[in-house]
Short mmCIF file of all heavy atoms in Angstrom, two decimals:
data_model
loop_
_atom_site.label_atom_id
_atom_site.label_comp_id
_atom_site.label_asym_id
_atom_site.label_seq_id
_atom_site.Cartn_x
_atom_site.Cartn_y
_atom_site.Cartn_z
N HIS M 341 30.27 176.67 -71.83
CA HIS M 341 30.63 176.96 -70.45
C HIS M 341 31.97 177.68 -70.39
O HIS M 341 32.14 178.69 -69.69
CB HIS M 341 30.67 175.65 -69.67
CG HIS M 341 30.53 175.82 -68.19
ND1 HIS M 341 30.20 174.78 -67.35
CD2 HIS M 341 30.72 176.90 -67.38
CE1 HIS M 341 30.18 175.21 -66.11
NE2 HIS M 341 30.48 176.49 -66.09
N MET M 342 32.94 177.17 -71.15
CA MET M 342 34.25 177.80 -71.23
C MET M 342 34.14 179.21 -71.81
O MET M 342 34.73 180.17 -71.30
CB MET M 342 35.19 176.96 -72.09
CG MET M 342 35.74 175.72 -71.43
SD MET M 342 36.99 176.09 -70.18
CE MET M 342 38.29 176.81 -71.20
N ALA M 343 33.37 179.33 -72.89
CA ALA M 343 33.22 180.61 -73.57
C ALA M 343 32.61 181.66 -72.65
O ALA M 343 32.96 182.84 -72.70
CB ALA M 343 32.36 180.45 -74.83
N PHE M 344 31.70 181.22 -71.77
CA PHE M 344 31.06 182.14 -70.83
C PHE M 344 32.10 182.84 -69.96
O PHE M 344 32.09 184.06 -69.81
CB PHE M 344 30.07 181.37 -69.96
CG PHE M 344 29.49 182.16 -68.82
CD1 PHE M 344 28.45 183.05 -69.03
CD2 PHE M 344 30.00 182.05 -67.53
CE1 PHE M 344 27.92 183.80 -67.98
CE2 PHE M 344 29.49 182.78 -66.49
CZ PHE M 344 28.44 183.66 -66.72
N TYR M 345 33.04 182.06 -69.41
CA TYR M 345 34.05 182.64 -68.52
C TYR M 345 35.13 183.40 -69.29
O TYR M 345 35.66 184.41 -68.80
CB TYR M 345 34.67 181.56 -67.64
CG TYR M 345 33.74 181.11 -66.53
CD1 TYR M 345 33.29 179.79 -66.46
CD2 TYR M 345 33.28 182.00 -65.57
CE1 TYR M 345 32.42 179.39 -65.44
CE2 TYR M 345 32.41 181.61 -64.57
CZ TYR M 345 31.99 180.31 -64.51
OH TYR M 345 31.12 179.92 -63.51
N GLU M 346 35.43 182.95 -70.48
CA GLU M 346 36.44 183.65 -71.28
C GLU M 346 35.93 185.03 -71.70
O GLU M 346 36.69 186.00 -71.74
CB GLU M 346 36.83 182.81 -72.49
CG GLU M 346 37.69 181.61 -72.10
CD GLU M 346 38.01 180.68 -73.26
OE1 GLU M 346 37.21 180.63 -74.22
OE2 GLU M 346 39.04 180.01 -73.21
N LYS M 347 34.61 185.11 -71.96
CA LYS M 347 34.01 186.42 -72.28
C LYS M 347 34.02 187.35 -71.06
O LYS M 347 34.01 188.57 -71.20
CB LYS M 347 32.56 186.23 -72.76
CG LYS M 347 32.46 185.71 -74.18
CD LYS M 347 31.01 185.51 -74.58
CE LYS M 347 30.90 184.92 -75.97
NZ LYS M 347 29.51 184.61 -76.35
N GLU M 348 34.04 186.73 -69.87
CA GLU M 348 34.11 187.51 -68.64
C GLU M 348 35.52 188.02 -68.37
O GLU M 348 35.76 188.75 -67.42
CB GLU M 348 33.65 186.65 -67.45
CG GLU M 348 32.18 186.28 -67.47
CD GLU M 348 31.27 187.43 -67.12
OE1 GLU M 348 31.49 188.06 -66.08
OE2 GLU M 348 30.37 187.72 -67.92
N GLY M 349 36.48 187.58 -69.20
CA GLY M 349 37.85 188.06 -69.05
C GLY M 349 38.82 187.07 -68.46
O GLY M 349 40.00 187.39 -68.24
N MET M 350 38.38 185.84 -68.18
CA MET M 350 39.27 184.83 -67.63
C MET M 350 40.19 184.26 -68.72
O MET M 350 39.77 184.12 -69.87
CB MET M 350 38.48 183.66 -67.03
CG MET M 350 37.88 183.93 -65.66
SD MET M 350 37.22 182.38 -64.97
CE MET M 350 36.44 183.02 -63.49
N ASP M 351 41.41 183.92 -68.33
CA ASP M 351 42.25 183.20 -69.29
C ASP M 351 41.80 181.74 -69.32
O ASP M 351 40.99 181.30 -68.50
CB ASP M 351 43.74 183.32 -68.93
CG ASP M 351 44.05 182.77 -67.54
OD1 ASP M 351 43.42 181.77 -67.13
OD2 ASP M 351 44.92 183.34 -66.86
N LYS M 352 42.32 180.97 -70.28
CA LYS M 352 41.84 179.61 -70.50
C LYS M 352 42.06 178.71 -69.27
O LYS M 352 41.21 177.90 -68.90
CB LYS M 352 42.55 179.01 -71.71
CG LYS M 352 41.84 177.82 -72.31
CD LYS M 352 42.19 177.67 -73.78
CE LYS M 352 41.23 176.71 -74.44
NZ LYS M 352 41.36 176.74 -75.91
N LYS M 353 43.19 178.88 -68.61
CA LYS M 353 43.52 178.05 -67.46
C LYS M 353 42.52 178.25 -66.32
O LYS M 353 41.99 177.29 -65.74
CB LYS M 353 44.94 178.38 -66.99
CG LYS M 353 45.41 177.53 -65.82
CD LYS M 353 46.84 177.91 -65.43
CE LYS M 353 47.30 177.09 -64.22
NZ LYS M 353 48.69 177.46 -63.81
N ASN M 354 42.26 179.52 -65.99
CA ASN M 354 41.31 179.81 -64.90
C ASN M 354 39.88 179.47 -65.28
O ASN M 354 39.07 179.08 -64.44
CB ASN M 354 41.41 181.28 -64.50
CG ASN M 354 42.65 181.55 -63.66
OD1 ASN M 354 43.02 180.74 -62.82
ND2 ASN M 354 43.31 182.68 -63.89
N ALA M 355 39.56 179.63 -66.57
CA ALA M 355 38.23 179.26 -67.05
C ALA M 355 38.00 177.76 -66.87
O ALA M 355 36.93 177.32 -66.41
CB ALA M 355 38.04 179.66 -68.51
N MET M 356 39.02 176.95 -67.23
CA MET M 356 38.91 175.50 -67.05
C MET M 356 38.72 175.14 -65.58
O MET M 356 37.92 174.27 -65.22
CB MET M 356 40.17 174.81 -67.60
CG MET M 356 40.12 174.55 -69.10
SD MET M 356 41.39 173.40 -69.63
CE MET M 356 42.86 174.40 -69.44
N LYS M 357 39.45 175.83 -64.72
CA LYS M 357 39.36 175.59 -63.29
C LYS M 357 37.95 175.87 -62.77
O LYS M 357 37.38 175.09 -61.98
CB LYS M 357 40.38 176.47 -62.57
CG LYS M 357 40.51 176.21 -61.08
CD LYS M 357 41.61 177.09 -60.49
CE LYS M 357 41.75 176.84 -58.99
NZ LYS M 357 42.81 177.69 -58.40
N GLN M 358 37.35 176.99 -63.22
CA GLN M 358 36.01 177.37 -62.77
C GLN M 358 34.96 176.43 -63.34
O GLN M 358 34.00 176.06 -62.66
CB GLN M 358 35.72 178.82 -63.16
CG GLN M 358 34.42 179.36 -62.58
CD GLN M 358 34.43 179.34 -61.05
OE1 GLN M 358 35.36 179.79 -60.41
NE2 GLN M 358 33.36 178.78 -60.46
N VAL M 359 35.13 176.05 -64.61
CA VAL M 359 34.18 175.12 -65.25
C VAL M 359 34.19 173.79 -64.50
O VAL M 359 33.13 173.20 -64.23
CB VAL M 359 34.53 174.93 -66.74
CG1 VAL M 359 33.75 173.74 -67.32
CG2 VAL M 359 34.21 176.20 -67.52
N ALA M 360 35.38 173.31 -64.16
CA ALA M 360 35.48 172.05 -63.42
C ALA M 360 34.78 172.15 -62.07
O ALA M 360 34.07 171.23 -61.65
CB ALA M 360 36.96 171.70 -63.24
N LYS M 361 34.97 173.29 -61.39
CA LYS M 361 34.32 173.50 -60.09
C LYS M 361 32.81 173.53 -60.23
O LYS M 361 32.08 172.92 -59.44
CB LYS M 361 34.82 174.82 -59.48
CG LYS M 361 34.28 175.10 -58.10
CD LYS M 361 34.84 176.41 -57.55
CE LYS M 361 34.28 176.70 -56.17
NZ LYS M 361 34.78 177.99 -55.64
N ASP M 362 32.30 174.24 -61.25
CA ASP M 362 30.86 174.33 -61.48
C ASP M 362 30.23 172.96 -61.71
O ASP M 362 29.12 172.67 -61.27
CB ASP M 362 30.56 175.21 -62.69
CG ASP M 362 30.85 176.69 -62.46
OD1 ASP M 362 30.99 177.08 -61.28
OD2 ASP M 362 30.96 177.44 -63.45
#
Side-chain angles (χ1 to χ4, degrees):
H341 201 163
M342 284 287 296
F344 172 80
Y345 286 118
E346 287 175 333
K347 284 178 183 176
E348 293 286 307
M350 282 190 186
D351 59 35
K352 199 155 194 168
K353 182 179 178 181
N354 284 321
M356 276 194 289
K357 187 176 180 181
Q358 188 60 49
V359 167
K361 183 179 179 182
D362 290 344

